[in-house]
Amino acid sequence: MASHRKSRSTGTRVAGIRTPALATAALTSVALLSQSANAAPSDDRPSLEEVEKKVDDLYRQAGSATEKYNAAKEKTSKQRKKVDTLLDDVAKRTQKLNDARTELGSFASAQYRTGASVPETATLLLADSPQDYFDQNQLMNRLTGRQKTAVDDYVTQQSETMKKRREATEGLDTLTDSQNDLKTAKSTVQKKLATARELLSELTAEEKARLAAIEKKKQEEAARKAAELAKQQAAEEAERKRQEEAAQQQGSGSSSGSSESSTPGSSNGTQAQKALAFAQAQIGKPYVWGATGPGSYDCSGLTQAAWKAAGVTLPRTTYDQVNAGTTVSVSQAQPGDLVFFYDDISHVGLYVGDGKMVHAPKPGAYVREESIFYDGESSIYSVVRPA
Protein backbone atom coordinates (compact mmCIF):
# COMPACT_ATOMS: atom_id res chain seq x y z
CA MET A 1 0.00 0.00 0.00
CA ALA A 2 1.46 3.32 -1.09
CA SER A 3 2.30 5.86 1.53
CA HIS A 4 0.66 9.29 1.26
CA ARG A 5 3.01 10.90 3.74
CA LYS A 6 5.20 13.73 2.37
CA SER A 7 8.85 12.96 2.22
CA ARG A 8 10.89 14.80 4.80
CA SER A 9 13.52 17.23 3.55
CA THR A 10 16.91 15.87 4.13
CA GLY A 11 18.50 19.27 4.59
CA THR A 12 22.23 19.32 5.16
CA ARG A 13 24.54 18.43 7.95
CA VAL A 14 26.62 21.02 9.77
CA ALA A 15 29.18 19.55 12.13
CA GLY A 16 27.32 16.25 12.01
CA ILE A 17 23.89 17.80 12.70
CA ARG A 18 21.08 17.64 10.19
CA THR A 19 19.69 21.18 9.46
CA PRO A 20 16.48 22.19 7.68
CA ALA A 21 16.74 23.72 4.17
CA LEU A 22 15.55 27.10 5.48
CA ALA A 23 18.30 27.17 8.05
CA THR A 24 20.80 26.26 5.38
CA ALA A 25 19.67 29.17 3.21
CA ALA A 26 19.94 31.51 6.17
CA LEU A 27 23.46 30.38 6.94
CA THR A 28 24.42 30.82 3.28
CA SER A 29 22.96 34.32 3.25
CA VAL A 30 24.87 35.27 6.39
CA ALA A 31 28.08 33.97 4.87
CA LEU A 32 27.53 35.95 1.66
CA LEU A 33 26.74 39.12 3.62
CA SER A 34 29.87 38.61 5.67
CA GLN A 35 31.95 38.23 2.51
CA SER A 36 30.35 41.33 0.99
CA ALA A 37 31.03 43.33 4.13
CA ASN A 38 34.65 42.31 4.08
CA ALA A 39 34.98 43.09 0.37
CA ALA A 40 33.13 46.43 0.42
CA PRO A 41 36.06 48.69 1.36
CA SER A 42 38.28 47.36 -1.44
CA ASP A 43 35.43 47.28 -4.00
CA ASP A 44 34.46 50.88 -3.29
CA ARG A 45 38.03 52.11 -3.32
CA PRO A 46 39.08 53.43 -6.77
CA SER A 47 42.01 51.78 -8.49
CA LEU A 48 45.34 53.56 -8.67
CA GLU A 49 44.82 54.14 -12.39
CA GLU A 50 41.43 55.72 -11.67
CA VAL A 51 42.97 57.97 -9.01
CA GLU A 52 45.73 59.02 -11.38
CA LYS A 53 43.25 59.85 -14.15
CA LYS A 54 41.00 61.71 -11.74
CA VAL A 55 43.89 63.77 -10.35
CA ASP A 56 45.18 64.57 -13.85
CA ASP A 57 41.69 65.63 -14.91
CA LEU A 58 41.33 67.82 -11.82
CA TYR A 59 44.65 69.53 -12.48
CA ARG A 60 43.66 70.07 -16.09
CA GLN A 61 40.30 71.51 -15.05
CA ALA A 62 42.09 73.71 -12.53
CA GLY A 63 44.39 74.92 -15.31
CA SER A 64 41.41 75.78 -17.47
CA ALA A 65 39.74 77.59 -14.57
CA THR A 66 43.02 79.43 -13.93
CA GLU A 67 42.99 80.85 -17.45
CA LYS A 68 39.38 81.94 -16.93
CA TYR A 69 40.50 83.55 -13.68
CA ASN A 70 43.34 85.31 -15.50
CA ALA A 71 40.91 86.60 -18.14
CA ALA A 72 38.43 87.79 -15.50
CA LYS A 73 41.20 89.42 -13.51
CA GLU A 74 42.49 91.28 -16.55
CA LYS A 75 38.97 92.36 -17.52
CA THR A 76 38.26 93.49 -13.97
CA SER A 77 41.47 95.51 -13.83
CA LYS A 78 40.73 97.25 -17.13
CA GLN A 79 37.13 97.89 -16.15
CA ARG A 80 38.16 99.31 -12.78
CA LYS A 81 40.51 101.76 -14.51
CA LYS A 82 37.74 102.72 -16.93
CA VAL A 83 35.27 103.30 -14.09
CA ASP A 84 37.82 105.34 -12.14
CA THR A 85 38.35 107.54 -15.21
CA LEU A 86 34.59 107.93 -15.69
CA LEU A 87 34.01 108.82 -12.04
CA ASP A 88 36.83 111.35 -12.17
CA ASP A 89 35.28 112.85 -15.30
CA VAL A 90 31.86 112.97 -13.64
CA ALA A 91 33.35 114.82 -10.65
CA LYS A 92 35.01 117.39 -12.92
CA ARG A 93 31.88 117.90 -15.00
CA THR A 94 29.73 118.17 -11.90
CA GLN A 95 31.99 120.98 -10.68
CA LYS A 96 31.66 122.75 -14.02
CA LEU A 97 27.89 122.28 -13.87
CA ASN A 98 27.82 123.78 -10.39
CA ASP A 99 29.87 126.74 -11.62
CA ALA A 100 27.43 127.26 -14.51
CA ARG A 101 24.50 126.98 -12.11
CA THR A 102 26.10 129.57 -9.82
CA GLU A 103 26.48 132.01 -12.70
CA LEU A 104 22.86 131.54 -13.74
CA GLY A 105 21.85 132.04 -10.13
CA SER A 106 23.63 135.38 -10.13
CA PHE A 107 21.49 136.44 -13.10
CA ALA A 108 18.35 135.43 -11.23
CA SER A 109 19.43 137.51 -8.25
CA ALA A 110 20.11 140.48 -10.52
CA GLN A 111 16.61 140.15 -12.02
CA TYR A 112 15.10 140.16 -8.55
CA ARG A 113 17.07 143.23 -7.45
CA THR A 114 16.11 145.20 -10.57
CA GLY A 115 12.44 144.28 -10.17
CA ALA A 116 12.18 142.18 -13.34
CA SER A 117 8.70 140.80 -13.69
CA VAL A 118 9.73 137.26 -14.72
CA PRO A 119 12.78 135.74 -12.98
CA GLU A 120 13.43 133.49 -15.97
CA THR A 121 16.89 132.26 -15.03
CA ALA A 122 15.65 131.27 -11.60
CA THR A 123 12.85 129.27 -13.24
CA LEU A 124 15.45 127.67 -15.50
CA LEU A 125 17.40 126.39 -12.52
CA LEU A 126 14.28 124.63 -11.19
CA ALA A 127 13.29 123.12 -14.54
CA ASP A 128 13.68 119.35 -15.06
CA SER A 129 14.78 119.86 -18.67
CA PRO A 130 16.41 123.25 -19.44
CA GLN A 131 16.18 122.68 -23.18
CA ASP A 132 12.41 122.07 -22.98
CA TYR A 133 12.11 125.21 -20.91
CA PHE A 134 13.96 127.23 -23.55
CA ASP A 135 11.84 125.81 -26.38
CA GLN A 136 8.56 126.52 -24.63
CA ASN A 137 9.33 129.98 -23.28
CA GLN A 138 11.67 131.30 -25.99
CA LEU A 139 13.94 132.45 -23.23
CA MET A 140 16.96 132.73 -25.49
CA ASN A 141 15.37 135.64 -27.39
CA ARG A 142 15.27 137.74 -24.23
CA LEU A 143 18.77 137.12 -22.84
CA THR A 144 21.90 139.22 -23.19
CA GLY A 145 24.99 137.84 -24.94
CA ARG A 146 26.69 137.02 -21.65
CA GLN A 147 23.58 135.32 -20.33
CA LYS A 148 23.16 133.28 -23.53
CA THR A 149 26.77 132.06 -23.19
CA ALA A 150 26.15 131.08 -19.56
CA VAL A 151 22.94 129.26 -20.45
CA ASP A 152 24.61 127.40 -23.34
CA ASP A 153 27.41 126.36 -21.02
CA TYR A 154 24.95 125.19 -18.39
CA VAL A 155 22.95 123.10 -20.87
CA THR A 156 26.10 121.55 -22.30
CA GLN A 157 27.55 120.74 -18.89
CA GLN A 158 24.29 119.25 -17.67
CA SER A 159 23.91 117.06 -20.77
CA GLU A 160 27.52 115.83 -20.63
CA THR A 161 27.36 115.25 -16.89
CA MET A 162 24.20 113.17 -17.20
CA LYS A 163 25.76 111.17 -20.04
CA LYS A 164 28.92 110.46 -18.06
CA ARG A 165 26.90 109.51 -15.00
CA ARG A 166 25.00 106.95 -17.07
CA GLU A 167 28.27 105.58 -18.46
CA ALA A 168 29.74 105.38 -14.96
CA THR A 169 26.66 103.52 -13.70
CA GLU A 170 26.86 101.05 -16.57
CA GLY A 171 30.59 100.73 -15.98
CA LEU A 172 30.03 99.92 -12.32
CA ASP A 173 27.50 97.25 -13.27
CA THR A 174 30.00 95.70 -15.69
CA LEU A 175 32.70 95.87 -13.02
CA THR A 176 30.44 94.03 -10.59
CA ASP A 177 29.83 91.30 -13.19
CA SER A 178 33.58 90.98 -13.79
CA GLN A 179 34.27 90.73 -10.08
CA ASN A 180 31.64 88.00 -9.76
CA ASP A 181 33.25 86.09 -12.65
CA LEU A 182 36.60 86.48 -10.91
CA LYS A 183 35.24 85.07 -7.66
CA THR A 184 33.59 82.15 -9.46
CA ALA A 185 36.78 81.24 -11.35
CA LYS A 186 38.85 81.52 -8.17
CA SER A 187 36.45 79.29 -6.27
CA THR A 188 36.51 76.71 -9.08
CA VAL A 189 40.31 76.55 -9.06
CA GLN A 190 40.43 76.15 -5.30
CA LYS A 191 37.81 73.39 -5.26
CA LYS A 192 39.53 71.39 -8.03
CA LEU A 193 42.91 71.61 -6.30
CA ALA A 194 41.43 70.73 -2.91
CA THR A 195 39.79 67.61 -4.37
CA ALA A 196 43.05 66.56 -6.05
CA ARG A 197 45.00 67.02 -2.80
CA GLU A 198 42.39 64.99 -0.91
CA LEU A 199 42.63 62.10 -3.38
CA LEU A 200 46.43 62.06 -3.20
CA SER A 201 46.42 62.24 0.61
CA GLU A 202 44.37 59.03 0.78
CA LEU A 203 47.00 56.99 -1.09
CA THR A 204 49.16 54.59 0.86
CA ALA A 205 52.96 54.74 0.68
CA GLU A 206 52.92 51.73 -1.64
CA GLU A 207 50.35 53.34 -3.92
CA LYS A 208 52.35 56.57 -4.06
CA ALA A 209 55.42 54.57 -5.07
CA ARG A 210 53.43 52.82 -7.80
CA LEU A 211 52.06 56.17 -8.96
CA ALA A 212 55.61 57.54 -9.17
CA ALA A 213 56.60 54.52 -11.24
CA ILE A 214 53.70 55.14 -13.63
CA GLU A 215 54.74 58.78 -13.95
CA LYS A 216 58.35 57.78 -14.61
CA LYS A 217 57.22 55.46 -17.39
CA LYS A 218 55.20 58.28 -18.95
CA GLN A 219 58.23 60.57 -18.80
CA GLU A 220 60.42 57.97 -20.45
CA GLU A 221 57.92 57.60 -23.28
CA ALA A 222 57.71 61.38 -23.62
CA ALA A 223 61.51 61.59 -23.78
CA ARG A 224 61.56 58.92 -26.49
CA LYS A 225 59.03 60.89 -28.57
CA ALA A 226 61.08 64.06 -28.06
CA ALA A 227 64.19 62.30 -29.31
CA GLU A 228 62.30 61.14 -32.41
CA LEU A 229 61.17 64.70 -33.11
CA ALA A 230 64.70 66.02 -32.59
CA LYS A 231 66.02 63.46 -35.06
CA GLN A 232 63.33 64.40 -37.58
CA GLN A 233 64.03 68.12 -37.22
CA ALA A 234 67.76 67.58 -37.57
CA ALA A 235 67.21 65.60 -40.78
CA GLU A 236 64.92 68.31 -42.18
CA GLU A 237 67.43 71.03 -41.29
CA ALA A 238 70.25 69.09 -42.95
CA GLU A 239 68.13 68.67 -46.09
CA ARG A 240 67.30 72.38 -46.09
CA LYS A 241 70.97 73.33 -45.92
CA ARG A 242 71.85 70.83 -48.66
CA GLN A 243 69.24 72.39 -50.95
CA GLU A 244 70.51 75.89 -50.15
CA GLU A 245 74.08 74.92 -50.95
CA ALA A 246 72.99 73.28 -54.20
CA ALA A 247 71.04 76.39 -55.19
CA GLN A 248 74.01 78.65 -54.41
CA GLN A 249 76.37 76.49 -56.49
CA GLN A 250 74.00 76.56 -59.45
CA GLY A 251 73.64 80.32 -59.31
CA SER A 252 77.17 81.22 -58.28
CA GLY A 253 78.00 82.63 -61.72
CA SER A 254 74.75 84.49 -62.13
CA SER A 255 73.91 87.97 -60.88
CA SER A 256 70.53 86.64 -59.90
CA GLY A 257 72.11 84.19 -57.49
CA SER A 258 70.77 84.44 -53.98
CA SER A 259 73.17 85.24 -51.19
CA GLU A 260 70.47 85.46 -48.52
CA SER A 261 69.59 82.65 -46.13
CA SER A 262 66.07 81.28 -46.08
CA THR A 263 66.28 81.08 -42.32
CA PRO A 264 63.54 83.09 -40.56
CA GLY A 265 64.34 86.74 -39.89
CA SER A 266 67.31 87.33 -37.62
CA SER A 267 65.43 89.90 -35.55
CA ASN A 268 62.74 87.34 -34.70
CA GLY A 269 65.44 84.78 -33.95
CA THR A 270 67.20 87.18 -31.59
CA GLN A 271 63.96 87.92 -29.76
CA ALA A 272 63.19 84.21 -29.49
CA GLN A 273 66.63 83.61 -27.97
CA LYS A 274 66.01 86.33 -25.39
CA ALA A 275 62.59 84.93 -24.54
CA LEU A 276 63.99 81.43 -24.18
CA ALA A 277 66.93 82.61 -22.05
CA PHE A 278 64.51 84.36 -19.71
CA ALA A 279 62.28 81.30 -19.40
CA GLN A 280 65.23 79.00 -18.67
CA ALA A 281 66.40 81.40 -15.96
CA GLN A 282 63.08 80.84 -14.17
CA ILE A 283 63.59 77.06 -13.88
CA GLY A 284 63.07 75.98 -10.29
CA LYS A 285 60.56 78.68 -9.40
CA PRO A 286 57.18 77.43 -8.15
CA TYR A 287 54.00 77.22 -10.14
CA VAL A 288 51.33 79.43 -8.57
CA TRP A 289 48.03 79.82 -10.38
CA GLY A 290 47.39 83.41 -11.45
CA ALA A 291 51.04 84.40 -10.93
CA THR A 292 53.06 86.43 -13.45
CA GLY A 293 56.42 86.57 -11.66
CA PRO A 294 59.01 87.34 -10.68
CA GLY A 295 58.94 84.82 -7.83
CA SER A 296 56.38 82.39 -9.27
CA TYR A 297 54.39 81.79 -12.44
CA ASP A 298 51.49 79.98 -13.98
CA CYS A 299 51.89 78.67 -17.53
CA SER A 300 50.72 81.71 -19.50
CA GLY A 301 52.28 84.06 -16.97
CA LEU A 302 55.67 82.52 -17.74
CA THR A 303 55.36 82.74 -21.53
CA GLN A 304 54.06 86.31 -21.33
CA ALA A 305 56.96 87.36 -19.09
CA ALA A 306 59.51 85.58 -21.30
CA TRP A 307 58.45 87.33 -24.49
CA LYS A 308 58.09 90.64 -22.64
CA ALA A 309 61.78 90.32 -21.76
CA ALA A 310 62.38 90.06 -25.52
CA GLY A 311 60.38 93.23 -26.20
CA VAL A 312 57.22 91.50 -27.42
CA THR A 313 53.88 92.01 -25.66
CA LEU A 314 51.75 88.88 -25.47
CA PRO A 315 48.18 88.75 -24.14
CA ARG A 316 47.67 87.39 -20.64
CA THR A 317 45.76 84.17 -21.28
CA THR A 318 46.42 81.05 -23.33
CA TYR A 319 43.13 81.69 -25.16
CA ASP A 320 44.55 84.94 -26.54
CA GLN A 321 48.21 83.95 -26.83
CA VAL A 322 47.28 81.18 -29.26
CA ASN A 323 46.20 83.89 -31.73
CA ALA A 324 49.25 86.12 -31.21
CA GLY A 325 51.39 84.79 -34.03
CA THR A 326 51.75 82.33 -36.89
CA THR A 327 50.73 78.71 -36.47
CA VAL A 328 53.33 76.15 -37.58
CA SER A 329 53.49 72.37 -37.48
CA VAL A 330 55.10 70.54 -34.58
CA SER A 331 57.93 69.38 -36.84
CA GLN A 332 58.66 73.03 -37.74
CA ALA A 333 58.79 74.24 -34.13
CA GLN A 334 61.73 76.51 -33.36
CA PRO A 335 63.18 77.72 -30.05
CA GLY A 336 60.94 80.38 -28.56
CA ASP A 337 57.73 79.12 -30.18
CA LEU A 338 54.67 78.66 -28.00
CA VAL A 339 53.34 75.12 -27.64
CA PHE A 340 49.67 74.89 -26.64
CA PHE A 341 47.90 71.90 -25.14
CA TYR A 342 44.42 70.36 -24.90
CA ASP A 343 41.25 71.16 -26.78
CA ASP A 344 40.39 73.95 -24.37
CA ILE A 345 43.86 75.51 -24.89
CA SER A 346 44.43 75.60 -21.14
CA HIS A 347 48.22 75.10 -21.06
CA VAL A 348 51.26 76.53 -22.83
CA GLY A 349 55.03 76.11 -22.81
CA LEU A 350 58.02 77.70 -24.55
CA TYR A 351 59.77 75.45 -27.06
CA VAL A 352 63.47 74.88 -26.38
CA GLY A 353 64.39 72.55 -29.23
CA ASP A 354 64.93 68.80 -29.56
CA GLY A 355 61.29 68.15 -28.66
CA LYS A 356 61.53 69.89 -25.29
CA MET A 357 60.02 72.96 -23.69
CA VAL A 358 60.19 75.12 -20.57
CA HIS A 359 56.86 75.43 -18.78
CA ALA A 360 55.16 75.94 -15.44
CA PRO A 361 53.34 72.58 -15.19
CA LYS A 362 50.83 72.53 -12.32
CA PRO A 363 50.31 73.23 -8.61
CA GLY A 364 52.94 71.59 -6.46
CA ALA A 365 55.47 71.59 -9.31
CA TYR A 366 58.17 74.01 -10.39
CA VAL A 367 59.13 75.62 -13.68
CA ARG A 368 61.04 72.93 -15.52
CA GLU A 369 62.24 71.67 -18.88
CA GLU A 370 60.68 68.51 -20.26
CA SER A 371 59.33 66.85 -23.38
CA ILE A 372 56.46 68.51 -25.20
CA PHE A 373 54.94 65.01 -25.23
CA TYR A 374 54.75 64.98 -21.41
CA ASP A 375 51.00 64.26 -21.57
CA GLY A 376 50.96 62.34 -24.82
CA GLU A 377 51.21 63.43 -28.44
CA SER A 378 47.44 63.89 -28.74
CA SER A 379 47.47 66.56 -26.02
CA ILE A 380 49.34 69.03 -28.26
CA TYR A 381 46.88 71.56 -29.66
CA SER A 382 49.15 73.77 -31.81
CA VAL A 383 52.49 75.54 -32.10
CA VAL A 384 52.55 79.33 -32.56
CA ARG A 385 55.44 81.59 -33.48
CA PRO A 386 54.88 85.01 -31.86
CA ALA A 387 54.76 87.92 -34.30
Side-chain angles (χ1 to χ4, degrees):
M1 183 173 180
S3 173
H4 296 286
R5 297 175 62 184
K6 293 182 179 179
S7 60
R8 181 178 298 176
S9 173
T10 58
T12 59
R13 290 180 177 272
V14 177
I17 303 175
R18 186 184 299 277
T19 60
L22 184 62
T24 302
L27 288 172
T28 303
S29 177
V30 169
L32 289 174
L33 286 173
S34 177
Q35 292 176 1
S36 298
N38 292 332
S42 58
D43 289 345
D44 292 341
R45 185 180 178 83
S47 68
L48 188 61
E49 289 73 15
E50 290 173 335
V51 171
E52 181 199 23
K53 183 179 185 305
K54 182 66 175 176
V55 170
D56 285 346
D57 287 344
L58 286 167
Y59 278 138
R60 194 173 303 164
Q61 291 166 20
S64 180
T66 294
E67 291 306 310
K68 292 179 181 178
Y69 169 86
N70 292 337
K73 185 178 180 181
E74 185 177 42
K75 182 179 179 181
T76 299
S77 178
K78 290 180 178 179
Q79 188 62 24
R80 183 176 289 111
K81 290 179 181 178
K82 180 179 179 180
V83 168
D84 288 343
T85 300
L86 284 169
L87 291 175
D88 184 55
D89 195 9
V90 166
K92 291 178 180 178
R93 291 185 180 280
T94 299
Q95 182 58 50
K96 290 181 179 180
L97 180 62
N98 291 336
D99 292 342
R101 183 181 287 113
T102 298
E103 187 170 7
L104 286 178
S106 67
F107 294 150
S109 297
Q111 285 180 318
Y112 179 76
R113 287 196 302 270
T114 57
S117 59
V118 182
E120 291 160 324
T121 49
T123 306
L124 166 64
L125 293 173
L126 298 175
D128 292 333
S129 175
Q131 189 60 55
D132 289 345
Y133 180 83
F134 299 149
D135 294 341
Q136 294 171 10
N137 296 277
Q138 298 179 341
L139 176 63
M140 296 301 287
N141 294 331
R142 298 193 293 275
L143 296 177
T144 66
R146 181 183 175 189
Q147 288 174 326
K148 287 181 179 180
T149 300
V151 169
D152 285 340
D153 187 41
Y154 177 76
V155 173
T156 299
Q157 293 302 331
Q158 187 190 58
S159 176
E160 288 297 322
T161 301
M162 292 175 65
K163 178 182 177 182
K164 291 299 179 181
R165 283 176 179 170
R166 286 194 297 270
E167 290 179 3
T169 299
E170 292 171 358
L172 286 169
D173 290 340
T174 302
L175 177 59
T176 299
D177 291 340
S178 297
Q179 290 173 330
N180 289 336
D181 290 343
L182 187 63
K183 291 178 181 178
T184 299
K186 181 177 181 179
S187 176
T188 301
V189 175
Q190 292 172 331
K191 287 179 180 178
K192 298 296 182 184
L193 295 182
T195 303
R197 285 193 294 267
E198 183 178 356
L199 285 171
L200 291 173
S201 68
E202 294 174 352
L203 296 179
T204 64
E206 181 183 355
E207 288 173 329
K208 289 179 180 178
R210 287 171 55 200
L211 194 63
I214 293 174
E215 181 63 24
K216 182 179 179 181
K217 187 175 181 180
K218 286 173 61 178
Q219 290 178 355
E220 289 174 349
E221 175 61 17
R224 185 187 68 79
K225 294 289 294 183
E228 289 180 359
L229 177 60
K231 185 176 180 180
Q232 177 186 353
Q233 289 179 326
E236 290 178 354
E237 177 64 13
E239 176 61 19
R240 183 187 65 79
K241 289 183 177 180
R242 186 192 68 77
Q243 292 179 356
E244 280 186 354
E245 291 173 355
Q248 289 176 355
Q249 289 176 357
Q250 290 178 357
S252 59
S254 171
S255 59
S256 60
S258 173
S259 61
E260 296 181 359
S261 173
S262 62
T263 303
S266 59
S267 60
N268 181 272
T270 300
Q271 288 176 318
Q273 291 173 3
K274 289 181 179 179
L276 183 56
F278 178 93
Q280 290 175 320
Q282 311 313 307
I283 291 177
K285 292 184 178 180
Y287 172 102
V288 174
W289 64 274
T292 57
S296 57
Y297 299 89
D298 64 16
C299 66
S300 57
L302 176 64
T303 51
Q304 183 189 46
W307 273 96
K308 182 179 180 181
V312 176
T313 300
L314 291 182
R316 175 63 182 95
T317 68
T318 53
Y319 313 131
D320 293 324
Q321 288 183 9
V322 74
N323 297 315
T326 304
T327 300
V328 299
S329 66
V330 173
S331 65
Q332 293 177 324
Q334 295 179 358
D337 288 351
L338 303 175
V339 186
F340 294 92
F341 297 86
Y342 313 122
D343 291 339
D344 61 356
I345 321 175
S346 57
H347 190 65
V348 63
L350 201 70
Y351 192 66
V352 175
D354 294 335
K356 299 178 182 179
M357 66 177 174
V358 175
H359 69 146
K362 59 185 178 182
Y366 297 84
V367 176
R368 66 193 184 202
E369 181 177 307
E370 67 180 328
S371 168
I372 63 173
F373 303 103
Y374 80 107
D375 202 20
E377 187 173 2
S378 62
S379 68
I380 298 176
Y381 179 84
S382 67
V383 178
V384 173
R385 185 161 301 145

